[in-house]
């Protein structure tokens, strides 16, 4: 790991390297300017823990955010639109 001041070496047996994602908003809805709807980026920036939260998408990021907010006290509902093969 490298900071502005120095390099740090970390020893580990297993690691997960998560370097980012791109949010996908449904094109069928006009979501611009709606403060109640946010991507994962905005969900990490809110200052107050919501009383309840709807997470659309049960992938890794949705489940991760849902779990974090549930642990912080939110009532979380996850909706996934799984398409059968």
């Amino acid at each position: 790991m490298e900071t502005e001041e120095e390099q740090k070496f970390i020893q580990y047996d297993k690691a997960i390297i998560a370097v980012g994602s791109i949010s996908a908003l449904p094109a069928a809805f006009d979501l611009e300017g709606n403060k109640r709807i946010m991507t994962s980026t905005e969900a990490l920036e809110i200052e107050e823990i919501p009383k309840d939260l709807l997470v659309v998408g049960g992938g890794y990021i949705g489940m991760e955010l849902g779990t974090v907010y549930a642990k912080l006290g939110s009532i979380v509902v996850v909706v996934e639109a799984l398409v059968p093969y």
Side-chain angles (χ1 to χ4, degrees):
M1 174 172 73
E2 188 170 335
T3 67
E4 291 182 16
E5 295 83 31
E6 63 183 332
Q7 284 186 339
K8 294 182 181 180
F9 295 92
I10 302 169
Q11 294 183 357
Y12 54 88
D13 293 325
K14 298 178 183 177
I16 297 173
I17 300 173
V19 295
S21 66
I22 298 172
S23 300
L25 295 174
F29 302 101
D30 179 17
L31 304 177
E32 293 296 322
N34 189 330
K35 293 180 182 179
R36 294 178 56 196
I37 299 172
M38 61 191 100
T39 66
S40 57
T41 301
E42 288 96 12
L44 293 170
E45 295 173 347
I46 60 176
E47 295 181 10
E48 293 183 25
I49 305 304
K51 178 182 171 190
D52 44 32
L53 183 69
L54 172 66
V55 177
V56 179
Y60 295 110
I61 295 170
M63 296 307 296
E64 203 168 37
L65 286 171
T67 300
V68 167
Y69 279 106
K71 289 284 189 181
L72 293 172
S74 296
I75 298 169
V76 178
V77 175
V78 178
V79 177
E80 173 61 41
L82 180 65
V83 178
Y85 292 96

